[in-house]
Amino acid sequence: MATSGTTSFNPDNSLILEEAFELAGLEMRTGNDFESALRSLDLLKLEWGNEGLNLWTVEEVELSITAGDAEYDLAVDTIDILHAAIRTGTGTTQVDYRLGRVGFPRWSAISNKNVTGRPTSFMTERSITPVVKLWPVPDTSYTFVYWRLRRMQDAGGVSDTLDMPTRFIPAIITGLAIKMATKRQKFETAKF
C-alpha cells in the first residue's frame, strides 16, 4: 500500500477551531463563536507562555551595551531571559562570560549599585516593557548576549497558521476544546 510521501500537514486556524468544537461536542453556530474561540486560543497561548511551554520561541539576542548604562529595555514580546552572558572580543578572541541571574530580593540587597566593572549579574523586570538591569555598571562597551523566551504570535485570521511546531497542535486543540466546552456550559446554564 502506498503512502502519501508528504509531511506538510499544518492546519490553519479554521480547521483548528472546527476540530476543537467537534472534540468538545459543540457546533460553531455564529461568527461570535468563531471570535470567542480565536480569543480563547490566544489566551491559551499566553498561559502556555507563562508556564514556559513554548521553548520553540527561545531566541538568542545580542545587545550592545555602553559604559555607564546598567538598564536596558527589552522587546515587549519578551517573557523572560533564560540565560545571559557578557561577550568581549570578536572572532578568535571572542570570550563569553556567563552572568548570574538574581531575583528582586537579592538585587535590592546590593548596597552600591553604582560600582563599575564587567557585569557579573543581571535582573529582569517582567513589566509591560521588560527591563534588564546589569551589575556592576558596565565600565566599557560590551555585547550583552541573552537567550529570551518570547511570546507566541497572535492567532490572526481564519487562514493563518499557529506560531508553533505542528507536534503541539493536538495539545492546543484539546486545551481549546476544554475552554470552549466550559464557556458553552456556563452560557447555557446562565440562560435558564
Side-chain angles (χ1 to χ4, degrees):
M1 182 160 250
T3 63
S4 70
T6 64
T7 57
S8 59
F9 178 70
N10 189 11
D12 63 19
N13 288 337
S14 65
L15 289 175
I16 287 172
L17 299 183
E18 185 178 339
E19 186 67 21
F21 268 83
E22 288 176 4
L23 186 60
L26 304 171
E27 289 181 35
M28 200 178 316
R29 299 178 191 150
T30 66
N32 187 51
D33 287 343
F34 181 79
E35 291 299 320
S36 177
L38 272 179
R39 184 176 54 250
S40 292
L41 183 59
D42 279 332
L43 290 169
L44 181 60
K45 290 189 303 169
L46 288 175
E47 287 175 26
W48 283 16
N50 285 331
E51 293 175 16
L53 296 177
N54 57 334
L55 295 180
W56 59 89
T57 62
V58 173
E59 300 174 337
E60 181 179 348
V61 179
E62 293 184 12
L63 177 66
S64 295
I65 59 174
T66 56
D69 292 331
E71 195 170 306
Y72 296 87
D73 289 344
L74 303 173
V76 295
D77 66 342
T78 300
I79 294 173
D80 204 357
I81 293 178
L82 304 175
H83 177 76
I86 290 294
R87 180 169 290 161
T88 62
T90 59
T92 59
T93 64
Q94 175 181 305
V95 177
D96 285 356
Y97 296 94
R98 182 177 187 268
L99 296 180
R101 181 188 187 112
V102 297
F104 180 75
R106 188 164 167 211
W107 183 264
S108 64
I110 296 173
S111 59
N112 185 353
K113 293 181 183 65
N114 296 317
V115 169
T116 61
R118 186 185 77 228
T120 58
S121 303
F122 75 97
M123 182 192 75
T124 308
E125 283 184 10
R126 295 177 60 184
S127 49
I128 292 172
T129 300
V131 173
V132 65
K133 296 181 178 186
L134 303 173
W135 187 85
V137 176
D139 58 347
T140 188
S141 296
Y142 295 101
T143 301
F144 177 59
V145 181
Y146 62 96
W147 289 261
R148 74 181 189 124
L149 185 64
R150 69 160 172 84
R151 280 182 52 181
M152 284 181 268
Q153 296 172 15
D154 298 338
V158 167
S159 60
D160 292 325
T161 56
L162 296 178
D163 177 26
M164 65 177 53
T166 55
R167 67 183 180 275
F168 283 87
I169 289 175
I172 203 148
I173 288 171
T174 302
L176 183 58
I178 291 167
K179 286 191 173 295
M180 297 316 298
T182 303
K183 278 184 175 183
R184 184 68 59 88
Q185 181 182 19
K186 287 180 180 180
F187 177 74
E188 295 294 330
T189 304
K191 279 177 48 176
F192 299 106

